[in-house]
Amino acid sequence: MEKFRWAYIGSGNIANSTARDILRGNHKIVSVFGRNPQKTAAFAQKYGAQSFIDFESAVNRTDVDGVYIATPHTSHVDYAVRAMKFSKPVLCEKPVGVSVSDVDALVNTAKEENVYFCEAMWTWFSDVALTVKKWVQGGEIGAVKEVVINYAFPGIMMPKDSRVLMPETAGGALLDIGIYPITYCYNLFGFPKEIICRGRLKNGIDISETVTLKYEKFNCVLHMSLCTLKENCLIKGEKGTVSLPAFFHMASKAVLKNENGRQVFKGKTDYLTEFTRAALEIKEGRKESAYIPFEATRNCMLIMDECRRQIGLVYPFEKQGV
């Protein structure tokens, strides 16, 4: 099988992480666009691609099968829409934008151009999360009673000009890391009946939140923070539990405990699986991912929009009406 050929938009940390992983498989990076010529050229040389300082030259090529967008999320809509207007399938890093209006713009463009668009949420391309979903929805632990997910990393210690800490790039805990536990609960249980968010703001961004997603008979309590280091997930049911020591970051194990004993599923949560499955969907002619449908991306953004509303988080470019 021929290698799937990607155009990369961006050459920062996440671009490097994905590139190292996917080149172990049946993928090739043929071009890369970035605003910093030196950085872009270095990335291209490292991964065997051509570097461009012009977006169209990097994307609108016959040897590009798909476009991967790995820039700060405030620029995702612009780049993704431009790529789709060249009839190029797009895999776009999370979050795909900063509000539901951004998601609508992207989905509408994908439909108008009849081209594939997908949020790059590696969790739900992974067999680990998909197995958890099968266990929970298949009744292995009975009726769900309680869900607690923690995800935190000490982002507050990063340089002040990091996109994670800058209001101008919609930095903060919610959009950068909170999207993972929110998406996890949504994919298991759907849209909640009620959303309650309590958060802490500092220097124009949110540095921590506790988000409670209320369902008919149980709550999902999600803790996210840039101030500490923690990651785990526990789903309690009437007949047992499902636990993950790591539900997102390189998640490789899920544990089911019920009346039949203890069962461990081991698998990979990695970029190679994500890119391979997205590439296969594109080759099959799909326009919407079966792993991450448009509705999931939109509803998770709706939840985050409501969280921002409750804690009063408004980014500078929103205040300016830009």
Side-chain angles (χ1 to χ4, degrees), residues 273-294:
T273 301
E274 172 189 21
F275 276 66
T276 297
R277 289 181 167 173
L280 182 59
E281 289 191 317
I282 292 168
K283 286 187 174 183
E284 289 174 343
R286 292 189 67 95
K287 309 304 178 184
E288 179 178 2
S289 176
Y291 298 95
I292 302 150
F294 296 151

Side-chain angles (χ1 to χ4, degrees), residues 62-108:
T62 58
D63 61 350
V64 167
D65 300 315
V67 176
Y68 170 60
I69 297 174
T71 58
H73 35 265
T74 44
S75 62
H76 285 175
V77 174
D78 176 48
Y79 290 137
V81 166
R82 288 164 66 187
M84 287 189 282
K85 286 187 178 294
F86 291 130
S87 298
K88 295 299 183 182
V90 170
L91 181 64
C92 182
E93 266 306 324
K94 43 54 60 184
V96 296
V98 300
S99 67
V100 76
S101 61
D102 284 351
V103 176
D104 288 342
L106 291 163
V107 170
N108 289 340

Side-chain angles (χ1 to χ4, degrees), residues 132 136 141 144-151 181 184-185 188-189 218-223 230-237 240-247 253-257:
V132 170
V136 172
I141 61 171
V144 174
K145 306 301 292 180
E146 180 184 15
V147 180
V148 178
I149 303 180
N150 294 289
Y151 187 38
Y184 213 91
C185 280
L188 291 176
F189 310 115
F218 64 93
N219 295 338
C220 290
V221 181
L222 317 175
H223 303 285
K230 192 172 186 179
E231 180 183 352
N232 55 46
C233 172
L234 178 62
I235 305 167
K236 295 181 180 179
T241 63
V242 172
S243 61
L244 297 98
F247 76 97
K253 183 173 73 171
V255 181
L256 167 66
K257 294 181 181 178

